[in-house]
Amino acid sequence: MKPIFENIPHEKGTSSFHAYRIVVPHFEFKWHFHPEYELTYIVKGSGYRLVGNTYEEFQAGDFVLLGRHVPHTWSGKSLEGEPVEAVVIQFTKEPMDSILSCQEGVALQNLLNEAAYGIRFTVREAWIQQLNHLVTLEGLNRMLLGIALLEELAQAPYERISPNPIHHSFSPQQELRINTICRYIIGHFSEPLTVEKVASVSGMSTSNFCKFFKKATGKTFSDYVNEIRIQEACMLLRETERKISTVAIDCGFETLSYFNRVFLAKKKCRPMAYRKSYLSINTRAH
């Protein structure tokens, strides 16, 4: 799968630090890459984050730094059905070269090197305030505050998203294909989905499709579909009072027993226990 090349300079002009806020109905699956580093904070929304071929669930508060040319996408929606929201900072390394080459810039250089793996931070309130301020600034003030934020991140603990540095290695045809496949799955997960059917959508034989999909997403087709379905089921369990059997059917599971088995494997608890746990947390919060 080759991600889409995103031409950031076309959108940001000559700015070294491009900072903006996204508010959209949902995060659409759009696997892409660009030569800029990217810092993304999810304000509202949940779903799955694909970085390289590492596929993980995300919630509001997700805070990730990605290196140059690291393919990625966030796909999902708000838990409340409201628009999703993210703050994104995209920047180039060149304006910081003089800083990175001196002793004071060692930690920052190490941070940018680690970004090749994709790295995730536990967000802090002070960082959220800085991000919100960044999107209101322009020119040198934005760049200086951006560098100051990166320096704070360089001193903070983080987790690598991928066990290996990520480099895209797919053709434009493969890029278009994986985006077509994943958008089709997201749009039809509540229906019966067979590997043969989706392979035909991609224009591939079943065997070639399975190899391609596993390489692209790091998951088998059936596991990927189940991840999407369970994510939707979790939202329905939290936001509605639908019966467990109804939730299972609405999310594309043909039998309640199979839904319960997959849910337990993915969430380490049964659907009713998940719902009760969420309601308990909400009750305590209020």
Side-chain angles (χ1 to χ4, degrees), residues 250-280:
D250 289 347
C251 293
F253 290 95
E254 294 183 0
T255 67
L256 179 59
S257 60
Y258 183 56
F259 170 63
N260 286 331
R261 188 161 66 249
V262 174
F263 197 98
L264 180 61
K266 299 290 184 186
K267 296 298 179 181
K268 310 306 178 188
C269 66
R270 297 188 180 279
M272 184 56 72
Y274 178 90
R275 171 176 274 170
K276 288 180 178 178
S277 174
Y278 178 76
L279 292 174
S280 174

Side-chain angles (χ1 to χ4, degrees), residues 176-240:
L176 178 61
R177 182 170 285 161
I178 193 60
N179 278 287
T180 299
I181 290 168
C182 290
R183 285 172 184 163
Y184 183 85
I185 293 172
I186 291 169
H188 297 82
F189 69 85
S190 61
E191 306 167 12
L193 279 178
T194 64
V195 65
E196 292 80 10
K197 184 175 184 178
V198 181
S200 68
V201 170
S202 68
M204 305 173 73
S205 69
T206 301
S207 60
N208 285 340
F209 169 81
C210 290
K211 293 175 185 175
F212 168 75
F213 193 84
K214 180 64 182 294
K215 181 181 179 182
T217 66
K219 291 184 177 291
T220 64
F221 170 75
S222 60
D223 196 33
Y224 184 94
V225 172
N226 281 338
E227 292 273 12
I228 297 295
R229 287 172 170 169
I230 293 299
Q231 168 69 12
E232 182 71 12
C234 287
M235 185 188 67
L236 293 177
L237 290 169
R238 290 191 298 261
E239 295 189 3
T240 75

Side-chain angles (χ1 to χ4, degrees), residues 74-116:
W74 276 256
S75 179
K77 54 190 175 182
S78 168
L79 299 179
E80 301 81 16
E82 300 174 352
V84 297
E85 183 178 345
V87 175
V88 181
I89 313 297
Q90 290 160 329
F91 58 95
T92 58
K93 173 174 166 287
E94 287 72 22
M96 297 184 285
D97 280 346
S98 58
I99 297 174
L100 298 175
S101 63
C102 64
Q103 182 61 36
E104 290 83 353
V106 170
L108 182 53
Q109 179 65 72
N110 290 339
L111 177 74
L112 298 183
N113 291 341
E114 284 290 293

Side-chain angles (χ1 to χ4, degrees), residues 29-101:
F29 190 99
K30 182 189 175 186
W31 209 61
H32 64 284
F33 70 96
H34 40 73
E36 291 78 13
Y37 294 87
E38 179 173 295
L39 185 63
T40 299
Y41 170 60
I42 304 298
V43 181
K44 291 181 182 179
S46 65
Y48 284 89
R49 172 183 9 89
L50 183 60
V51 174
N53 64 355
T54 300
Y55 189 75
E56 297 178 328
E57 185 176 356
F58 77 86
Q59 303 286 342
D62 199 44
F63 193 38
V64 169
L65 176 64
L66 301 176
R68 302 174 70 248
H69 298 292
V70 171
H72 59 278
T73 189
W74 276 256
S75 179
K77 54 190 175 182
S78 168
L79 299 179
E80 301 81 16
E82 300 174 352
V84 297
E85 183 178 345
V87 175
V88 181
I89 313 297
Q90 290 160 329
F91 58 95
T92 58
K93 173 174 166 287
E94 287 72 22
M96 297 184 285
D97 280 346
S98 58
I99 297 174
L100 298 175
S101 63

